[in-house]
Amino acid sequence: MKLIRAIIKPERLHAVKDRLNEVGIKGMTVSEVKGFGHQKGKTEFYRGNPVQVHFLPKIQIFLAVTDDKKDEVINVITEAARTGKYGDGKIFVNNLEEVVRIRTGEKGEEAL
Amino acid sequence: MKLIRAIIKPERLHAVKDRLNEVGIKGMTVSEVKGFGHQKGKTEFYRGNPVQVHFLPKIQIFLAVTDDKKDEVINVITEAARTGKYGDGKIFVNNLEEVVRIRTGEKGEEAL
Amino acid sequence: MKLIRAIIKPERLHAVKDRLNEVGIKGMTVSEVKGFGHQKGKTEFYRGNPVQVHFLPKIQIFLAVTDDKKDEVINVITEAARTGKYGDGKIFVNNLEEVVRIRTGEKGEEAL
Amino acid sequence: MNGANTAWILTSSALVLFMTLPGLGLFYAGLVKSRNTISTLAQCYGIAAVASVVWFVAGYSIAFSGENNYIGDLSKAFLSGVSLKSLSGDIPEILFVMFQMTFAIITPALIVGAYVERIKFSAVLFISTLWILAVYAPVTHWIWGGGWLADMGVFDFAGGLVVHATAGVSAIVIVKVLGPRVGFPQYFDPPHSPVIAMTGAAMLWVGWFGFNGGSALAANANAGMAILVTHISAATATLVWMFIDWYKNGKPGLVGIITGTIAGLATVTPASGFIGPMGGFILGLLSGSICYFAVGFIKFKLNIDDSLDVMAVHGVGGILGTLLAGILASGTFGGLGLEKTVFDQTMVQLIGVIAVVVFTAIVTYVICIITKSLFGLRVAEEQEISEGLDLGTHGEQSYRF
Amino acid sequence: MNGANTAWILTSSALVLFMTLPGLGLFYAGLVKSRNTISTLAQCYGIAAVASVVWFVAGYSIAFSGENNYIGDLSKAFLSGVSLKSLSGDIPEILFVMFQMTFAIITPALIVGAYVERIKFSAVLFISTLWILAVYAPVTHWIWGGGWLADMGVFDFAGGLVVHATAGVSAIVIVKVLGPRVGFPQYFDPPHSPVIAMTGAAMLWVGWFGFNGGSALAANANAGMAILVTHISAATATLVWMFIDWYKNGKPGLVGIITGTIAGLATVTPASGFIGPMGGFILGLLSGSICYFAVGFIKFKLNIDDSLDVMAVHGVGGILGTLLAGILASGTFGGLGLEKTVFDQTMVQLIGVIAVVVFTAIVTYVICIITKSLFGLRVAEEQEISEGLDLGTHGEQSYRF
Amino acid sequence: MNGANTAWILTSSALVLFMTLPGLGLFYAGLVKSRNTISTLAQCYGIAAVASVVWFVAGYSIAFSGENNYIGDLSKAFLSGVSLKSLSGDIPEILFVMFQMTFAIITPALIVGAYVERIKFSAVLFISTLWILAVYAPVTHWIWGGGWLADMGVFDFAGGLVVHATAGVSAIVIVKVLGPRVGFPQYFDPPHSPVIAMTGAAMLWVGWFGFNGGSALAANANAGMAILVTHISAATATLVWMFIDWYKNGKPGLVGIITGTIAGLATVTPASGFIGPMGGFILGLLSGSICYFAVGFIKFKLNIDDSLDVMAVHGVGGILGTLLAGILASGTFGGLGLEKTVFDQTMVQLIGVIAVVVFTAIVTYVICIITKSLFGLRVAEEQEISEGLDLGTHGEQSYRF
Ligand SMILES: Nc1ncnc2c1ncn2[C@@H]1O[C@H](COP(=O)(O)OP(=O)(O)O)[C@@H](O)[C@H]1O
Ligand SMILES: Nc1ncnc2c1ncn2[C@@H]1O[C@H](COP(=O)(O)OP(=O)(O)O)[C@@H](O)[C@H]1O
Ligand SMILES: Nc1ncnc2c1ncn2[C@@H]1O[C@H](COP(=O)(O)OP(=O)(O)O)[C@@H](O)[C@H]1O
């Protein structure tokens, strides 16, 4: 199984979630994070004077999938999250050794 | 060493933490996340009209342990977090290559 | 590639970020977490009566790097985040199998 | 000059300003999405500033000068001729100007609830300026400035027509031209903070004592009766809304509870100087239930994204109260009595409603078309769905905890 | 009718309503857990609405009509007979009804602090309704309605007994029947927002000018003295609490600072019309220290989960101020003087305290038992410890940033 | 005694207290970093309590007793001799004491904006105590207590010199001794909540009606004119600031919008009893622009970390309004007229400004040096940059959502 972690723009969350459901992803965990990268930080103003804001709000989607689903999920997220502008985000994948469903104690793929 | 990540119901955090301390876990990191899965979203109301809320508040416990402790920790969390209802959450485990304690620079198991 | 996750004290974030930029790290993702460990929780007071607070605010820096950069990054973070007091935090490293840059679809190291 | 009355109207002016700033601002800001909080506040706040200057420059004069039956003249533009000595009734005219100014502030600000989360800030300021001059001031002249409806003896004690009907009707018209928020009605976010909304609603409730009580322009039993009936209507409507909600959805939501209050307050406004406690109670019962269903009807049947239900609460309420003012003023309902027959009075009320609704709808529509062609009305879709109007339009983030 | 006095009582009515909405609501909401914020606000708000209607229907009549020494009759139910002409003293009676109504609103709302975070909303509304009719209105009749304690000449200027003692005693009684919050006292969460609590406390402070100053029922030196002594007591108690905290725990917490203010305000309330500045200063010193220790004693010695310390702050304060009113009224302490001897007056005060405490405790207990058997008092434990009363009872989330 | 005037000053006292608590507290708290929110509120709140007691003990007497031209005596310490019968003008003296107390509260609280996020709480309380006695009370005596500037006929209706100039100058002096926040000006965090700041600003606006209107000490046309010109200046300055911001940075920020309001209010304060509507409009135009640039100049040119711009907004505004009061009082600008020639009056105004600025600067400097040597002024650097003053100094966290 694989652990997929995608950092995306907040406004894309709805779209990504909907597309993932369509391809049969029944569960995911999201959290609010702040990102720093090519995309420049924003300039806000305080009483007419500029203030640099370095970190930008992003959403992290955290998703465990079976190996066979991996590529499909990556493609789905890439498409749904893309705006073509800097700051679209990244997808990180690594190996997942074990999963347990707390409610039932089920282990492995059927716990997903 | 293993990295254990558990997604649980917020109200179970106290119980899980206490039980983990009992089995000698001295450190952990928790964060607020939002979850989506079998458990249905809530219906709130706006001036008498229903509004669907899809993501539910969850707590993520993030925990590095030595290999030998792994199974015990999983069991402890599973018991303490279980309510038997949908949405109890999941435990994800993967391999941890390296740990450093910033204060001392210690590496490996003694850094835990 | 490696996934580096550092838990640090909030007040060290600026310093760590600046140092990382100096060594050429162009991107990272940070989030607010709460920590529990050797460092004791704080005592707050409610109308003159003590209240124990167990979890302390920490910042998690989440960072994907190429293998060769790994050690340098660990050192940089360790130095910049260290105050020498309990609660300085930890750095966790594990393997990263794949990365995708959503904007371009690039995969692997050039996606970082 | 009567010092006691002056003392009360000085206080009332502060209370009515308090209704808009921060009252109404917080009430609306708590109901929108977090990323549009600052924008909503800036709209209310900016309108307050613009309306004040417009009122000083020409608004007051258009509303309260001249002999013409339909519109005032500019003889009092820049308050020329309003000296320390001039009186209106037995209070200083300069104070009357101030008191009326607070009404000219809150009325266009009420409309904010209709177009939040998607409108351009420039459009808000431009529309409000024209609206005060071309809609609010003339209607005020008709009813409170000695115009034709005043001559007919219409009952509008504190602004059921002047304030709430004009705001409600304009809300619908503007939204029709502006269009709904992206995703409406499928994606629909709940209020980002009922806590903030309740704070604003409570301030509105308190400030309304100055709104309705101050409209007696005197510190006497009339003012006392006005705030009592106002309060009873508000409290009753609050409970009615709460129980309907509870019964229908199993849960009494705080947002519903406070919306009931506003419905009760808007509805009693035109009648508050003519009715007795029982009349207030009846208006509370009616407004709490009728406005409740008006919200669902306009939003989810007609699918009009009057986002914070300005028409359903203020428009419907203000019109309802205006139509019933005559009936409830009669002794039968413990009212303070009326010269005309109840039927004749109610006909006058009906004429007032029709005239104000039609006039407001037409003029507001024209204003929207002009503004749209000059500035455009909506922010870029990306701003609306992504960063929000806080960062997009005002370059600020509402919360940084 | 005196216009100046009427102007001031109109204002005072707004100020006292402001104390409850949003003042007290925010004060309490800031002190609870985030997930019970809406619930706490809804309790205060719902009580305000219910109390208003109950007061209009029968409460006012029970408190302020009839010749009976112990309870009024229903001759003024639905305010029948209260016309524009009726006066009470030299202000319109209808305004007196309104002013008193704001007291009938805040008193049961004060009790909210005792049972937050675990009680059923239905129980809150039901208990409050019975409580106003069976506890508040009768006690008001005894003291302000020409009842037996009034005949004895008890000093209770603005409600040390009528408001604070009744609320404090009822707090303890209800909690005894209801039980503590799950986990109390081991797991104990700090206030979720001292910022919100401070906002509410500050509003209470300001509104108290109408509460104590308005109780003079006139715009004169008496009202001026009342607000000055009120303010001095509040400021002094604030500092005393702060310094004790600072000394004991090394840190002056904001929650403590504002609690000191409320203690000072509650304590000076019964005395505020009889004492001079020095008396206010003395009450500030005493209330700031005595209430400080009362909090720890009741919560952590007696282990009674009077969650937001209604008894320790309002009950203890109100009783303290009542007992000292006679002494501090004497010229020795710069008071405004009294007819009886200090000793006789203090005996009367003592009788008043005992009568009110005993009566309130018994009747409130009966009300709780009835409510418990009809509705049950507590929400499901899972709701209490997990989603909280906001989502569980009201279906809303307090913050969505 | 005049009841109507008494009613209005009772109300005004409540309004001015409301300006500080919660108004100013929220305004400032919203502008700081989240981790210093409680600290900022506690500073305003603590000062309010301390100032009240100090005013009661000696402040009022130093300001308003005796025949000396430069300072009062202690004949009215502890308000001795202030009875129910004593009048000042035609209102009860005890009420005048209360009204003036609210001014003595807000003035040192204004200075909080200069030193937030780094100063010791003990230093705040100590400095404020000395400052009221050695700076505020004497200057008040000069201008309102029958002192030498009063004799010269200086115009300072509601405190351009007494309140805003003293606060602004002291802000700079204290910051010079205290030093800037760590990281200033490179690292500079935007306000943690413009929503909270706007709530406070709006409360200040409303409360200012009592501040300037109450300074007429009567409920008459003068008071009416005062609140109208105050309001027009505020609204105009709001728009000016907003448009400059919009033009310069492409975005009209809410924090800028509300800062414009405060600038307009502070500037009109000294003139509000002497000018007409057009004068208010002119002061709005000038303050909105001059204070705008003053902020950037002081903070980023002079690099003085007057953190929330007390000097740029209050100091500059108060002085500006004082200097223009004479000119705008003339009939040419629709003012209410003056006895002296405009030139002579303006000279007097200039002398007033110089005297107050120099005196305030020197005495405040001495106070800072004393305090620094006794307590030290700054919290530990680690507290400042890490946990913040909320947890570090007060042991509380501002938000726990
Ligand atoms: N090396 C990295 N490790 C972790 N997160 C990263 C890394 N690089 C970028 N990110 C995350 O991805 C987001 C977008 O990256 P950015 O470089 O700004 O745009 P793009 O991916 O389009 O080039 C960043 O805001 C950050 O949250
Ligand atoms: N595939 C997944 N990847 C990541 N998180 C998941 C996944 N499936 C479920 N979760 C998390 O676990 C929580 C509980 O899962 P859910 O399916 O609702 O109940 P249960 O685990 O009892 O079947 C979800 O809210 C979500 O946060
Ligand atoms: N085993 C662990 N797994 C995950 N996070 C941990 C673990 N141990 C410590 N942490 C995180 O590191 C932080 C600092 O650890 P702590 O033991 O308090 O101090 P130190 O690392 O200096 O000994 C903790 O607050 C927690 O967030």
Side-chain angles (χ1 to χ4, degrees), chain E residues 7-232:
Chain E
W8 171 233
I9 302 310
L10 284 163
T11 306
S12 297
S13 304
L15 283 169
V16 183
L17 177 61
F18 184 59
M19 287 173 72
T20 309
L21 303 177
L24 185 69
L26 293 175
F27 179 59
Y28 281 167
L31 297 176
V32 297
K33 282 185 280 297
S34 165
R35 63 175 185 266
N36 297 320
T37 312
I38 285 175
S39 151
T40 304
L41 292 172
Q43 287 165 0
C44 293
Y45 205 98
I47 287 173
V50 165
S52 305
V53 174
V54 171
W55 194 248
F56 154 68
V57 172
Y60 175 73
S61 189
I62 295 173
F64 291 102
S65 72
E67 298 313 312
N68 181 303
N69 254 335
Y70 299 97
I71 187 151
D73 55 38
L74 293 179
S75 57
K76 291 185 171 180
F78 294 94
L79 308 183
S80 63
V82 180
S83 78
L84 285 184
K85 279 165 215 50
S86 9
L87 292 181
S88 79
D90 61 6
I91 65 168
E93 181 177 8
I94 194 75
L95 176 56
F96 180 72
V97 173
M98 180 73 238
F99 182 62
Q100 284 297 327
M101 186 185 281
T102 59
F103 282 63
I105 286 170
I106 197 167
T107 309
L110 287 172
I111 307 173
V112 166
Y115 52 60
V116 287
E117 307 201 286
R118 59 199 185 281
I119 197 169
K120 276 189 178 169
F121 190 55
S122 51
V124 169
L125 300 180
F126 191 73
I127 288 175
S128 303
T129 304
L130 297 185
W131 193 86
I132 291 165
L133 295 171
V135 177
Y136 181 77
V139 171
T140 305
H141 185 75
W142 297 356
I143 296 174
W144 294 340
W148 68 282
L149 282 171
D151 295 345
M152 290 179 67
V154 72
F155 281 179
D156 186 6
F157 192 67
L161 289 174
V162 174
V163 174
H164 298 285
T166 56
V169 170
S170 302
I172 295 295
V173 174
I174 294 178
V175 168
K176 274 301 187 186
V177 182
L178 176 68
R181 289 167 292 180
V182 173
F184 176 87
Q186 297 81 333
Y187 279 108
F188 187 84
D189 302 271
H192 93 279
S193 177
V195 176
I196 291 176
M198 174 276 183
T199 305
M203 290 172 170
L204 283 163
W205 192 342
V206 171
W208 227 289
F209 279 26
F211 195 88
N212 289 0
S215 293
L217 293 174
N220 57 19
N222 243 296
M225 183 62 84
I227 66 174
L228 185 91
V229 298
T230 298
H231 186 82
I232 289 177

Side-chain angles (χ1 to χ4, degrees), chain F residues 199-258:
Chain F
T199 306
M203 291 170 169
L204 283 163
W205 192 342
V206 171
W208 227 290
F209 280 26
F211 197 89
N212 289 0
S215 292
L217 294 173
N220 57 19
N222 243 296
M225 182 62 84
I227 66 173
L228 184 90
V229 299
T230 298
H231 185 81
I232 288 177
S233 175
T236 309
T238 303
L239 295 176
V240 171
W241 193 297
M242 180 180 85
F243 284 119
I244 298 177
D245 228 358
W246 209 337
Y247 175 80
K248 262 187 74 233
N249 307 326
K251 287 178 178 169
L254 181 61
V255 171
I257 290 172
I258 61 181

Side-chain angles (χ1 to χ4, degrees), chain B residues 25-30 62-65 101-103 111-112, chain C residues 7 33-39 56 58 85-90 92:
Chain B
I25 299 295
K26 290 180 306 306
M28 68 190 77
T29 301
V30 310
F62 170 83
L63 192 65
V65 297
R101 162 174 285 129
I102 291 171
R103 172 167 49 93
L112 289 182
Chain C
I7 312 291
V33 296
K34 293 198 176 303
F36 178 78
H38 294 115
Q39 180 188 20
L56 299 167
K58 301 281 170 188
K85 304 220 191 64
Y86 280 117
D88 275 353
K90 300 206 173 357
F92 305 98

Side-chain angles (χ1 to χ4, degrees), chain D residues 2-335:
Chain D
N2 180 311
N5 297 347
T6 301
W8 171 232
I9 303 309
L10 284 163
T11 305
S12 298
S13 303
L15 284 169
V16 183
L17 177 61
F18 183 59
M19 287 173 72
T20 310
L21 302 177
L24 185 69
L26 294 175
F27 179 59
Y28 281 168
L31 297 177
V32 297
K33 284 186 278 296
S34 165
R35 64 176 184 265
N36 297 319
T37 312
I38 285 175
S39 151
T40 305
L41 292 172
Q43 288 165 1
C44 293
Y45 206 99
I47 287 174
V50 164
S52 304
V53 174
V54 170
W55 193 248
F56 154 68
V57 172
Y60 176 72
S61 189
I62 295 174
F64 291 103
S65 74
E67 298 311 312
N68 181 301
N69 254 337
Y70 300 96
I71 188 154
D73 54 40
L74 293 179
S75 57
K76 291 186 172 180
F78 294 94
L79 307 183
S80 62
V82 181
S83 77
L84 284 185
K85 279 166 214 50
S86 9
L87 292 181
S88 78
D90 61 6
I91 66 167
E93 182 177 8
I94 194 73
L95 177 56
F96 181 72
V97 173
M98 180 73 237
F99 182 61
Q100 283 297 327
M101 186 185 279
T102 59
F103 282 63
I105 286 170
I106 197 168
T107 309
L110 286 172
I111 307 173
V112 165
Y115 52 61
V116 287
E117 307 200 285
R118 58 198 186 281
I119 197 169
K120 277 188 178 169
F121 191 54
S122 51
V124 168
L125 299 180
F126 191 74
I127 289 175
S128 303
T129 304
L130 297 185
W131 192 86
I132 292 164
L133 295 170
V135 177
Y136 181 77
V139 171
T140 305
H141 184 75
W142 297 356
I143 297 173
W144 294 339
W148 67 282
L149 283 170
D151 295 346
M152 290 180 66
V154 74
F155 281 180
D156 188 5
F157 192 68
L161 289 174
V162 174
V163 174
H164 299 284
T166 58
V169 171
S170 301
I172 295 295
V173 174
I174 294 178
V175 168
K176 273 299 184 187
V177 181
L178 176 67
R181 288 166 293 181
V182 173
F184 176 87
Q186 297 82 333
Y187 279 106
F188 187 85
D189 302 271
H192 93 279
S193 176
V195 177
I196 291 176
M198 175 276 184
T199 306
M203 291 171 170
L204 283 164
W205 192 342
V206 172
W208 226 290
F209 280 26
F211 195 89
N212 289 1
S215 292
L217 294 172
N220 57 18
N222 242 295
M225 183 62 83
I227 66 174
L228 185 90
V229 299
T230 298
H231 185 82
I232 288 178
S233 174
T236 309
T238 302
L239 294 176
V240 171
W241 193 296
M242 179 180 85
F243 285 119
I244 298 178
D245 229 358
W246 209 338
Y247 175 80
K248 262 187 73 231
N249 307 327
K251 288 179 178 170
L254 180 60
V255 171
I257 290 173
I258 62 181
T259 306
T261 310
I262 306 302
L265 290 164
T267 305
V268 77
T269 294
S272 53
F274 310 105
I275 66 176
M278 192 53 71
F281 184 65
I282 293 169
L283 285 177
L285 294 174
L286 294 174
S287 57
S289 42
I290 293 174
C291 295
Y292 181 99
F293 293 104
V295 168
F297 181 75
I298 294 176
K299 233 201 196 81
F300 300 101
K301 291 276 164 305
L302 303 184
N303 270 315
I304 297 174
D305 187 17
D306 174 1
S307 306
L308 308 181
D309 311 304
V310 180
M311 182 60 188
V313 175
H314 295 278
V316 171
I319 291 168
L320 178 67
T322 304
L323 293 176
L324 296 177
I327 299 156
L328 297 176
S330 68
T332 336
F333 296 97

Side-chain angles (χ1 to χ4, degrees), chain B residues 11 14 18 42 44 53 85, chain E residues 187 382 386-387 395 400:
Chain B
E11 64 261 32
H14 273 312
D18 294 350
K42 283 226 177 42
E44 296 188 19
V53 179
K85 303 220 192 63
Chain E
Y187 279 108
E382 203 211 318
S386 83
E387 53 183 2
R400 201 176 253 109

Side-chain angles (χ1 to χ4, degrees), chain B residues 1-52:
Chain B
M1 298 167 292
K2 298 294 175 190
L3 251 180
I4 298 179
R5 182 183 287 97
I7 312 290
I8 64 169
K9 288 183 170 168
E11 64 261 32
R12 306 308 304 158
L13 176 59
H14 273 312
V16 172
K17 171 180 156 298
D18 294 350
R19 290 282 293 108
L20 284 170
N21 295 355
E22 285 165 32
V23 301
I25 299 295
K26 290 180 306 306
M28 68 190 77
T29 301
V30 310
S31 55
E32 295 177 352
V33 296
K34 293 200 175 302
F36 178 79
H38 294 115
Q39 180 188 20
K40 286 200 189 24
K42 283 226 177 42
T43 306
E44 296 188 19
F45 291 91
Y46 167 73
R47 290 179 170 170
N49 302 286
V51 183
Q52 274 300 329

Side-chain angles (χ1 to χ4, degrees), chain A residues 33-82:
Chain A
V33 297
K34 293 199 177 301
F36 178 80
H38 295 116
Q39 180 187 20
K40 289 202 185 23
K42 282 226 178 44
T43 306
E44 296 187 19
F45 291 91
Y46 167 72
R47 291 179 169 167
N49 303 285
V51 183
Q52 275 300 330
V53 178
H54 300 285
F55 289 96
L56 301 169
K58 302 280 170 188
I59 290 283
Q60 168 181 294
I61 298 178
F62 171 82
L63 193 63
V65 296
T66 52
D67 300 4
D68 56 311
K69 277 231 177 246
K70 191 196 80 176
D71 298 330
E72 184 181 14
V73 166
I74 292 180
N75 295 337
V76 163
I77 296 179
T78 315
E79 289 161 15
R82 180 178 292 162

